[in-house]
Amino acid sequence: LFLLTFFLFEFSHLSPGPGAVVTISALSIVGSIIIGLVAGLIALWGQAALTAAVIQTHAGSVHIGTAFKKGWSLLLPMLVISLLTGFIALGGFALFIIPGIYLMVALSFSVYVLFVENKRGLAAIQTSYTYLKDHWWAVFGRLLVLFIILMIPSILLGNIFDADTNAADIVNFIFSKSN
C-alpha cells in the first residue's frame, strides 16, 4: 500500500502537459483515498480479531483463524458501535469537556459487550453504560493511569525526534550515542 501511494504521488509531476497533471493528481487523490479506506478496514479487522482472540483466551485456547473469522463477522456491528459511541461522546464534548469525558469512559466497553454478549448497536452502548454507572471512577482512574503510561514514552520520543527529524537524523543519532 505504501509503495502504491508513493508511486502515485512521486510520479504525478511527470506529464507531457497541464491536463495530464490534473488527471494524474486526481488519480493520486482517489488512489490515496481508496488505499486509506482499505488500510482502515484491515486495521479495524485486525482490532476485531485481536478482541476476539483475547476473549478466546478466557475460554481456554486461542485459534487465530477462528479469531479472524469472528472479527470479520462482527466487523460491521463493531464499526456501527464505534461510530455511535464516538458521536455520543462528541455530543458530550460539545456541551463541555466534562460530559464528553464522562460519556467516553461510560461507553468504553460497548465493543466488548458486542463480542462477549453479542448485543449490537444501542443495546451494547446501553449495557456498557449500565455496567460502568456504579464503577465510573475506578474505570476512569485505570484509563488515566494507562494513558499516562502510554504518553510518557511518546512525549520522550517526540522530544528526541521532533517533526523536522528525518530518517538520516535518526540513524546519525543512534550511531553517535553508541560510540
Side-chain angles (χ1 to χ4, degrees):
L1 292 176
F2 169 75
L3 289 176
L4 182 59
T5 304
F6 172 76
F7 284 117
L8 285 173
F9 280 114
E10 189 61 31
F11 298 112
S12 65
H13 66 281
L14 301 175
S15 66
V21 171
V22 172
T23 304
I24 292 174
S25 295
L27 179 64
S28 298
I29 293 169
V30 170
S32 296
I33 291 170
I34 291 170
I35 290 168
L37 290 173
V38 169
L41 180 67
I42 291 170
L44 190 62
W45 183 23
Q47 182 182 1
L50 180 62
T51 304
V54 168
I55 291 169
Q56 282 180 8
T57 60
H58 184 68
S61 63
V62 177
H63 300 284
I64 298 300
T66 306
F68 273 99
K69 286 178 187 174
K70 174 88 172 183
W72 184 257
S73 69
L74 293 177
L75 191 62
L76 185 60
M78 181 179 167
L79 179 63
V80 168
I81 288 172
S82 297
L83 289 173
L84 285 172
T85 56
F87 285 130
I88 292 168
L90 185 63
F93 279 112
L95 293 173
F96 286 108
I97 300 295
I98 303 300
I101 293 172
Y102 178 82
L103 288 171
M104 192 172 62
V105 172
L107 306 180
S108 63
F109 287 96
S110 300
V111 170
Y112 302 110
V113 170
L114 167 69
F115 277 84
V116 174
E117 299 181 17
N118 204 25
K119 292 184 179 179
R120 296 165 188 245
L122 291 175
I125 292 170
Q126 184 178 13
T127 303
S128 175
Y129 181 82
T130 303
Y131 287 160
L132 272 78
K133 187 169 50 173
D134 295 332
H135 307 285
W136 189 90
W137 282 107
V139 173
F140 173 74
R142 288 177 176 94
L143 289 175
L144 184 62
V145 168
L146 181 63
F147 175 76
I148 291 169
I149 289 171
L150 293 175
M151 285 307 296
I152 290 173
S154 177
I155 291 169
L156 292 175
L157 289 174
N159 288 335
I160 294 171
F161 308 116
D162 59 5
D164 296 331
T165 305
N166 60 32
D169 293 334
I170 295 170
V171 171
N172 288 334
F173 175 80
I174 291 170
F175 286 113
S176 69
K177 299 298 179 188
S178 64
N179 292 333

